[in-house]
Amino acid sequence: MTTTDRARLDGYFRRVVEHFPSRVPAASLVITHLLPERPAFLDALTHLARVAAVLPKPKSQVPEVVDEVRRRYRVDQLTRDQFADAGQALDYLEGTVPGEDLVLLDIGGYFAPSLDVLTGKFSGRILGVVEDTENGHRRYQSLATLPCPVYSVARSPLKECEDHLVGHSVVFSTEALLRAHGSVLTNRDACVIGYGKIGRSIARALHHRDVRVTVYDNDPVKRVQAHAHGFRVTTHRSDALRGADLVMCATGNLALRRPDFGALHDGAYVASVTSSDDELELASLEGAYRRTPLPHGTTRFATVDHHFDVLNDGNAVNFLHGAEVGSYIHLVQAEILAAVSLIAAEPPPGLHEVSAEARHTIASIWLDHFSR
């Protein structure tokens, strides 16, 4: 990011935090991707809640950005196991921010399994959580009760711009990897698993590249939508897999389990839009398939008579090329900052969204700042 671009981004975030100030002093723990624009977001967050520690998503880190963030903030390793175990999670909070008012910024529902214990036993106060993704939204939504406010931006209209462009970036990276392996995307049979906002964008981007697309979603309403949009749909995942030499996984919630891999077309390519831990049950193949690293971040899984290639080792394929969605990502980041401000006002426990009025304000600031 150039000095000019960074100054412009800092100016944008300055306007956002001035409009959504924090009313109480608080600290924050931040699960995040560490991509080039993220230091500016973290610096803006400090005006609302001191950044006590940054926990980078393991598969989406740019080394230069990690180094830059380390110079200003504490950076710790992130694993699902750490926060899935309530005792470990509580020990981490007590060792990092003992006795403080705390806001948790999440990407993927990492804090969900231990949230009840953290809220009840932490020496400080959990003021609330801000969740960025649909996968995480579902994890918090599935809890029997929410012991604190959880603001989700996953289903915000402002995020639709980002989701649309993420779908295009996934297809761009997939096409680039296929070409690197001496193949092309055009005229393939593809299966898109998951027809949410990103899956829909992927399906359309593939169609525009003359790919024959079949959609599978376990929600019949989503299958009806895909059918209405002109795509072939199937009611069984295995049927969709057998006919596809390219499988795009866009559920955020285990698209392929152990039995599904045997149904893959021989020689198929598999790509994901999120972490392999969330989307693909690859660990279950240990001992049954031989793993062979291929060039360009691809792994081949093979038996005597069957093989398939997993792009970017099953992690979000678009992160190989920076996952760039332009300045639209700053709409969602601004909404996250607004949610932190709202949590400081101590709303009741439960699942919340930022108001339409706040979103209108963010959109107006963004348009004035980036669309001139």
Side-chain angles (χ1 to χ4, degrees), residues 256-259 261-262 277 280-293 299-303 308 310 313:
L256 296 180
R257 299 178 183 272
R258 173 65 181 88
F261 293 104
D277 297 337
L280 306 172
E281 204 171 52
L282 294 175
S284 68
L285 303 180
E286 197 68 42
Y289 281 79
R290 183 178 67 257
R291 298 187 184 211
T292 304
T299 301
R300 175 162 292 176
F301 290 77
T303 63
F308 57 90
V310 178
D313 297 326

Side-chain angles (χ1 to χ4, degrees), residues 344-364:
E346 302 190 31
L351 198 59
H352 298 266
E353 291 189 354
V354 170
S355 69
E357 180 182 2
R359 288 170 177 160
H360 291 165
T361 297
I362 291 166
S364 296

Side-chain angles (χ1 to χ4, degrees), residues 90-230:
L90 184 60
D91 287 346
Y92 177 75
L93 264 63
E94 295 293 3
T96 309
V97 282
E100 296 197 52
D101 286 348
L102 184 62
V103 180
L104 304 173
L105 273 66
D106 203 350
I107 297 181
Y110 280 81
F111 297 113
S114 56
L115 187 60
D116 190 59
V117 170
L118 295 179
T119 304
K121 295 187 175 181
F122 175 50
S123 63
R125 286 193 306 160
I126 305 295
L127 297 182
V129 181
V130 184
E131 171 57 50
D132 185 26
T133 66
E134 178 64 25
N135 179 26
H137 180 108
R138 292 175 186 174
R139 290 175 188 267
Y140 286 107
Q141 192 175 45
S142 69
L143 298 179
T145 58
L146 285 171
C148 66
V150 176
Y151 272 84
S152 172
V153 303
R155 299 179 180 179
S156 167
L158 295 179
K159 194 173 174 64
E160 291 180 8
C161 309
E162 178 188 343
D163 290 338
H164 171 72
L165 291 169
V166 165
H168 281 269
S169 73
V170 165
V171 173
F172 170 87
S173 293
T174 300
E175 183 170 30
L177 286 178
L178 263 60
R179 289 184 178 276
H181 286 282
S183 190
V184 295
L185 190 60
T186 302
N187 205 33
R188 286 185 174 272
D189 291 295
C191 165
V192 176
I193 302 179
Y195 202 67
K197 290 176 287 186
I198 293 177
R200 187 177 304 130
S201 176
I202 289 171
R204 288 172 174 167
L206 289 171
H207 174 72
H208 291 153
R209 286 166 169 79
D210 298 319
V211 175
R212 294 177 293 275
V213 178
T214 297
V215 171
Y216 171 77
D217 195 296
N218 59 14
D219 183 347
V221 173
K222 297 287 181 61
R223 295 200 298 271
V224 167
Q225 292 172 341
H227 190 274
H229 295 156

